Amino acid sequence: MAEIRIEWPDPEGQEIVERLFAADAALRAHFEQVAAAVGLTVPQAHTVIQLQEPQRMGTMAGHLHCEPSHVTAIADSLEESGFLRREPDPDDRRAKRLVLTEAGQKLRGRLLKRLFDGAPIISALDADQRAGLLSMLRMAQSSDRHQAWRRLPAAAGDGSCPPVPS
Amino acid sequence: MAEIRIEWPDPEGQEIVERLFAADAALRAHFEQVAAAVGLTVPQAHTVIQLQEPQRMGTMAGHLHCEPSHVTAIADSLEESGFLRREPDPDDRRAKRLVLTEAGQKLRGRLLKRLFDGAPIISALDADQRAGLLSMLRMAQSSDRHQAWRRLPAAAGDGSCPPVPS
DNA sequence: CGCAATTGCTTCAGTGACTGAACTATGTTG
DNA sequence: CAACATAGTTCAGTCACTGAAGCAATTGCG
């Protein structure tokens, strides 16, 4: 996303937004680079990462925030490359589950390792700084009534982050 | 960007990354929604916001992190809608400067107002929380040697954020 | 000065991510 | 069983964006 440099009603708010965008740009660039390094596009990499365990395609569409038809396309490409296969869902014969092949699991491992190794923010902060940043983000996200926050995965917190009121 | 929910070597790092992605998703959604509310696409809105003062097209490409040819396309659409015009650059007759029309300036005003009014993080934190978040982000970004941070606009800080060493 | 290399923008063809509608097959409900 | 909902697929199309080719103006070097 582009830099935003404007006269803003609130200069502190401006800087926060700018820096969050910058943080995001860095993370995104990192992710893109890691994906490319193992020969995947960004959505392919997301899909592989998501596949720690078999997932129905509709569920995957939810995780990727896209339409089911797009998951079909991504799955096609990853299946063709031999990183996953479709298997029938035991509970619903309409549904298919995406399952990583052996090659897919190895790929996922490499992906995770590289992702973590170079992650910009993690490597830049010491333990105190990390804890501080994290608690701020928790505060921001738990008190925010804006609906986009609600997408935060429930599994993200360790319980210290109060649930978002509905 | 999709949620990332994985077994991570460092659970705290995982949560930070997840929350930063979530923060980004919220900001992005907000931006997109605001742009749509005034009838612009995201890149059009970025361009209008960037045009506080006339900009050469090449400079704009730099700000938008895209190729000059793409700026041509965006400028075409905004010119057609009457929000900006191309004027010759006085210092270089090859170059053109993008200038907001009166309509464009009004549009920019509405855009900024709406952007600020609903910005998720800003509205969710109180003054202390904001200051804390900001200082963390400054620390993260000033100590990070990762190149993506370097894109941070120089104007963002008030001087309290030391320059990134090259 | 004069010619070559460079720079600013445009044009155009193409790509990758993604949506939405129509369709098939299966599942659910009354 | 009929009617409807749901899972995934197919396909056509959109949107953001790139990269190469080209024109015009500018800069630099002999």
Side-chain angles (χ1 to χ4, degrees):
Chain A
M1 190 161 250
E3 297 162 10
I4 299 180
R5 196 180 327 168
I6 48 179
E7 78 290 359
W8 202 285
D10 172 350
E12 192 185 63
Q14 171 185 1
E15 191 182 340
I16 291 175
V17 171
E18 283 175 344
R19 287 187 181 276
L20 283 170
F21 275 123
D24 168 63
L27 280 173
R28 232 163 251 264
H30 177 56
F31 192 93
E32 207 171 319
Q33 182 188 318
V34 167
V38 301
L40 295 183
T41 66
V42 167
Q44 284 173 339
H46 272 132
T47 303
V48 169
I49 285 177
Q50 207 59 239
L51 277 178
Q52 183 179 7
E53 37 189 61
Q55 295 268 323
R56 282 166 62 145
M57 299 184 69
T59 312
M60 183 62 74
H63 287 138
L64 300 178
H65 302 135
C66 70
E67 299 298 313
S69 61
H70 190 209
V71 174
T72 297
I74 299 171
D76 283 350
S77 65
L78 288 172
E79 193 166 34
E80 195 175 357
S81 316
F83 295 128
L84 62 76
R85 58 176 187 279
R86 289 163 160 96
E87 67 177 27
D89 186 293
D91 302 334
D92 187 337
R93 289 205 327 249
R94 290 169 304 179
K96 295 164 190 170
R97 297 197 311 178
L98 302 180
V99 190
L100 288 183
T101 60
E102 193 118 341
Q105 286 173 30
K106 281 186 194 155
L107 186 72
R108 184 168 180 275
R110 268 183 288 152
L111 213 38
L112 289 180
K113 176 157 180 16
R114 289 185 194 232
L115 251 190
F116 181 71
D117 283 350
I121 286 198
I122 297 175
S123 56
L125 295 178
D126 64 30
D128 279 357
Q129 290 170 332
R130 283 194 208 183
L133 176 58
L134 184 49
S135 75
M136 286 304 154
L137 284 167
R138 281 184 184 146
M139 268 191 254
Q141 289 168 23
S142 64
S143 60
D144 196 324
R145 330 203 133 263
H146 215 266
Q147 69 172 157
W149 292 124
R150 307 249 175 81
R151 294 207 202 126
L152 239 204
D158 54 6
S160 57
C161 171
V164 178
S166 52
Chain B
M1 192 160 249
E3 296 162 12
I4 299 181
R5 196 179 328 169
I6 50 182
E7 79 289 358
W8 203 285
D10 171 351
E12 193 186 65
Q14 172 186 2
E15 192 182 339
I16 291 176
V17 170
E18 284 174 342
R19 287 188 182 274
L20 284 171
F21 275 122
D24 168 63
L27 281 173
R28 234 162 248 265
H30 177 55
F31 192 93
E32 207 171 319
Q33 182 188 317
V34 167
V38 301
L40 295 183
T41 66
V42 167
Q44 284 172 339
H46 272 132
T47 303
V48 169
I49 285 177
Q50 207 60 241
L51 277 178
Q52 183 179 9
E53 38 188 60
Q55 295 266 324
R56 281 165 64 143
M57 300 183 69
T59 311
M60 184 62 75
H63 286 137
L64 301 179
H65 302 137
C66 70
E67 301 297 313
S69 61
H70 190 207
V71 174
T72 298
I74 300 171
D76 282 351
S77 65
L78 288 172
E79 192 166 34
E80 194 174 358
S81 316
F83 294 129
L84 62 78
R85 57 175 188 279
R86 290 163 160 96
E87 67 177 28
D89 185 292
D91 300 334
D92 187 338
R93 288 203 329 247
R94 291 168 304 179
K96 294 165 191 171
R97 297 197 310 179
L98 302 180
V99 190
L100 288 183
T101 60
E102 193 117 343
Q105 287 174 30
K106 280 186 194 156
L107 186 71
R108 183 168 182 276
R110 268 184 289 152
L111 214 36
L112 288 179
K113 177 155 180 15
R114 288 185 194 232
L115 251 190
F116 183 70
D117 282 350
I121 286 197
I122 298 176
S123 57
L125 295 178
D126 64 30
D128 279 356
Q129 290 171 332
R130 282 194 209 184
L133 176 58
L134 184 49
S135 74
M136 287 303 153
L137 285 168
R138 281 184 184 147
M139 268 190 255
Q141 289 168 22
S142 64
S143 60
D144 196 325
R145 330 203 132 262
H146 215 268
Q147 67 172 149
W149 292 125
R150 308 250 174 81
R151 294 206 203 129
L152 242 203
D158 54 6
S160 57
C161 171
V164 177
S166 53

